[in-house]
Amino acid sequence: MLALQGGVREHCAVLEGLGAEPVLVRRPDDVIGPDGVRLDALVLPGGESSVIDRLVSSVGLDGPLKRVITDGLPTLATCAGLILLAVAVLDPAPGQQSLQLLDVDVRRNAFGPQRASAEVRLSSSWGPAEVAFIRAPAIERVGPDVAVLAEHAGRVVGVATASVIGLACHPELTGATLFHRRLLDLAESRRRPLSA
Amino acid sequence: MTHVNDAPRTGTTLIKSGLAEMLKGGVIMDVVTPEQARIAEDAGAVAVMALERVPADIRAQGGVARMSDPDLISGIIDAVTIPVMAKARIGHFVEAQVLQQLGVDYIDESEVLSPAGYAHHIDKGRFTVPFVCGATNLGEALRRITEGAAMIRSKGEAGTGDVSEATRHLRTIRGEIAGLQATWRSNPDELYVAAKNLQAPYELVRRVAEQGALPVVLFVAGGVATPADAAMMMQLGADGVFVGSGIFKSGDPAQRAAAIVAATAGHDDPELIARVSRGLGAAMVGINVADVPTPHRLAERGW
C-alpha cells in the first residue's frame, strides 16, 4: 500500500476485510529489501496526483516501484494512482512526471470541479460496482495491450493488463470489493503458478 | 464496448468527505493571489485556500474580513490544477452560494473572517460543495458535522505563527474521543449524558465512541510556521495540515512551503525533517498567543 499521501486507510480496510495483510510502503526498502521483493501485490491509492508524484521521486521510490511493476507485480491503481502509472498525463501540474508503466493517456480532473463529483453504479467487464468519482481523471488513449474495463459518461474509466488494474474512480470509498478481490486473485495465482 | 450506468449522485456525504480523505497527509496553503497559488502548487500543496488577506494581515490591519473578490478566486482556479478552497464568513450562506457558483472545490466556513452572525452557522447540508469548519473541542466539531461539515480542522490561533493553540485543540479533540471510547467500553449507558454535555446528537456521539474517530477527516490549522510544527501535528494524530500566514509571511515562501510538505509526509523521520529545515531563511516573526488580547482571539469566534 503506497502510503505517502491520500486515501490509504480505506484501501487498507477493504484489503483487511478480504483477509489480506496490508503493509505501508513509504521508503524504497519497504518494496525491495535485502531479502528481495517484499510485496505480493501493490495498491497505488488516490490522493493529489501531483503531490504523490513529487513524493515518490523525492523519497526514491520511483526506481523500486518501476522495477516491481515492470516485473509483473499485481497492482491496483486508483485515481491519482492511475495517473502515476500512465504513459502520458494530460493537464499535468507544472513539472508533473509519471512512472510511465501503463500504456494509456490520462487527463487529470476530466469531469470538472468537486460539485461534479458523484457516486456511480459502474458496470464493468467484471460485473457491477458502486464507486465514487472525485475530481476524477479519464483515460483518453488506450494502448493495444490494454483492455477497457469500464466507461462512465462516455469516457474510459477502467483498464486492465495482465498484472495492472487501473481505475479513474474510488471503489475503496464505497467499500466495493470487486477490484480488490481481482488483485488478490492475481497475487495468489502468481505465488502458486503451478496450482492455477 | 458500451455500458449503461445509473444516474450519478452528486453532493452525497460520501462524495463530500471523500475529497477530504484524498487530501490526507497533505498541506493546504493560504493564498491571496494566482501567483501565490502557483508557488504553492509548485511546492507540493494538495490544495490552496483562497482568501482576501492572510490571517497575519487581518490581525495587523483590522477591519472587517470577508470572502475574496470573485475575480481573484476565479483567477486562482484558473492558475492551478489542484483543488481550490475558499473562505466564507461564519453564517454567511450567500457568500457560500457565491463560492459554490464560482466552482470552488471546498468552502471553509472560517473564524478567520468576520462572522456574519453570532447565532447560526451555515446549513451546510443544503450545498453540493463540501465544507470544512474549525473546532476547538469535540462538541464544536460534532455540531459542525451535524450541520453538514465534511471535514474538520482545529482552529488554533490563526495569524500568530504560535502553534500552541493548535496543539491544545488537537489534543483536546483526540483526548475527548479517547474518553468517549473508554465510556463506550465500560459504561455505554453514560453516553447519553456525554452527548448532552457535548451538545451533540446521541447517534453521532455513539458512532464516534464506537469507532474511536470522527466520521470525517481531522486536519490541523492555526499557527503552523515550520516543518517541525507540521510534523508535530501529524505525530499528534492530525490527518493533514493547513498553513496560513506561515508561508507567505516568511523569508523564502517557495522553499519553506516545499519543506513543510516534505516534513508532513515524512513526519516520523527526524533525519528528513532536520534536512528540509536547513537554510529556510526567516520564519514569520509571529506573536505569542498569550500576548493577543482576548477580544482579538479568532478561535473564540464560532460556537
Side-chain angles (χ1 to χ4, degrees):
Chain A
M1 185 72 234
L2 181 68
L4 295 174
Q5 192 271 317
V8 174
R9 205 180 304 155
E10 297 76 12
H11 275 294
C12 287
V14 174
L15 291 169
E16 281 165 3
L18 293 171
E21 293 168 19
V23 293
L24 301 185
V25 169
R26 306 190 63 195
R27 299 153 177 272
D29 58 9
D30 295 331
V31 180
I32 304 173
D35 46 343
V37 177
R38 295 181 147 173
L39 311 169
D40 295 315
L42 177 67
V43 176
L44 305 176
E48 177 42 51
S49 65
S50 57
V51 176
I52 295 177
D53 184 76
R54 167 189 309 269
L55 291 171
V56 161
S57 343
S58 74
V59 301
L61 268 167
D62 43 354
L65 289 180
K66 272 185 186 166
R67 189 177 135 194
V68 295
I69 296 170
T70 305
D71 285 351
L73 184 74
T75 301
L76 171 61
T78 59
C79 198
L82 169 69
I83 297 169
L84 185 66
L85 286 188
V87 161
V89 179
L90 310 173
D91 292 339
Q96 181 167 8
Q97 309 287 319
S98 67
L99 297 177
Q100 304 181 8
L101 297 171
L102 180 62
D103 189 13
V104 293
D105 295 352
V106 175
R107 184 173 301 283
R108 288 171 77 223
N109 194 21
F111 295 90
Q114 170 65 10
R115 65 180 180 209
S117 296
E119 287 181 66
V120 168
R121 184 173 173 79
L122 192 69
S123 302
S124 82
S125 313
W126 298 338
E130 285 289 333
V131 297
F133 283 85
I134 296 183
R135 284 176 47 93
I139 298 162
E140 300 210 340
R141 184 192 62 83
V142 180
D145 299 326
V146 179
V148 173
L149 275 185
E151 295 179 2
H152 167 58
R155 313 181 84 150
V156 176
V157 293
V159 293
T161 66
S163 61
V164 174
I165 306 165
L167 301 172
C169 54
H170 298 278
E172 80 286 0
L173 283 180
T174 47
T177 58
L178 175 68
F179 302 102
H180 295 79
R181 278 189 275 122
R182 280 279 173 158
L183 177 73
L184 297 180
D185 288 348
L186 285 173
E188 188 66 22
S189 56
R190 188 166 184 255
R191 253 188 353 173
R192 302 210 182 103
L194 296 179
S195 67
Chain B
M1 98 189 338
T2 311
H3 291 300
V4 178
N5 300 309
D6 295 347
R9 284 152 281 144
T10 57
T12 64
T13 301
L14 182 135
I15 288 297
K16 289 175 172 178
S17 59
L19 176 56
E21 300 286 349
M22 295 308 138
L23 304 177
K24 281 183 299 200
V27 181
I28 299 164
M29 302 182 191
D30 276 5
V31 298
V32 300
T33 63
E35 292 69 33
Q36 289 187 354
R38 279 190 210 101
I39 292 171
E41 180 179 45
D42 283 348
V46 286
V48 292
M49 172 73 72
L51 72 170
E52 185 189 43
R53 291 175 282 167
V54 294
D57 287 337
I58 293 171
R59 194 175 285 290
Q61 297 161 1
V64 176
R66 310 178 177 90
M67 175 187 80
S68 301
D69 183 320
D71 280 342
L72 265 178
I73 293 170
S74 297
I76 288 168
I77 291 173
D78 292 341
V80 295
T81 65
I82 56 179
V84 175
M85 302 182 165
K87 286 187 193 289
R89 285 180 266 178
I90 288 174
H92 206 314
F93 53 87
V94 175
E95 282 190 350
Q97 290 166 6
V98 170
L99 291 174
Q100 175 166 281
Q101 184 64 35
L102 292 173
V104 304
D105 296 299
Y106 239 92
I107 296 174
D108 185 359
E109 185 183 20
S110 178
E111 71 283 358
V112 167
L113 306 185
S114 307
Y118 288 89
H120 302 286
H121 281 253
I122 297 170
D123 182 0
K124 293 167 276 287
R126 298 168 67 97
F127 288 76
T128 306
V129 68
F131 282 75
V132 55
C133 287
T136 60
N137 57 53
L138 181 59
E140 201 175 357
L142 297 181
R143 289 192 291 279
R144 295 296 85 76
I145 292 168
T146 305
E147 294 157 3
M151 178 179 190
I152 295 293
R153 55 171 176 75
S154 73
K155 285 181 177 171
E157 189 55 38
T160 59
D162 178 346
V163 82
S164 61
E165 286 295 278
T167 305
R168 189 162 69 86
H169 299 157
L170 182 59
R171 282 190 186 273
T172 299
I173 293 169
R174 290 183 55 81
E176 288 177 298
I177 292 172
L180 279 188
Q181 207 173 9
T183 303
W184 173 248
R185 286 181 185 148
S186 56
N187 302 92
D189 58 320
E190 293 180 3
L191 276 187
Y192 296 99
V193 170
K196 185 196 94 175
N197 292 337
L198 286 166
Q199 299 178 49
Y202 171 77
E203 289 304 325
L204 181 57
V205 169
R206 198 180 77 175
R207 182 173 166 186
V208 171
E210 278 176 352
Q211 299 184 349
L214 292 178
V216 301
V217 159
L218 174 61
F219 269 49
V220 75
V224 174
T226 69
D229 286 350
M232 176 175 158
M233 295 301 124
M234 296 300 286
Q235 287 197 27
L236 284 172
D239 288 316
V241 179
F242 284 85
V243 186
S245 321
I247 290 172
F248 289 100
K249 285 290 163 187
S250 74
D252 184 345
Q255 202 187 344
R256 179 165 296 268
I260 291 175
V261 168
T264 301
H267 58 268
D268 53 357
D269 183 349
E271 188 278 323
L272 178 148
I273 300 165
R275 177 158 40 84
V276 301
S277 298
R278 291 175 193 273
L280 293 183
M284 71 178 282
V285 175
I287 177 171
N288 291 300
V289 171
D291 298 334
V292 179
T294 308
H296 299 291
R297 292 195 186 173
L298 304 175
E300 289 167 13
R301 294 171 170 177
W303 37 90

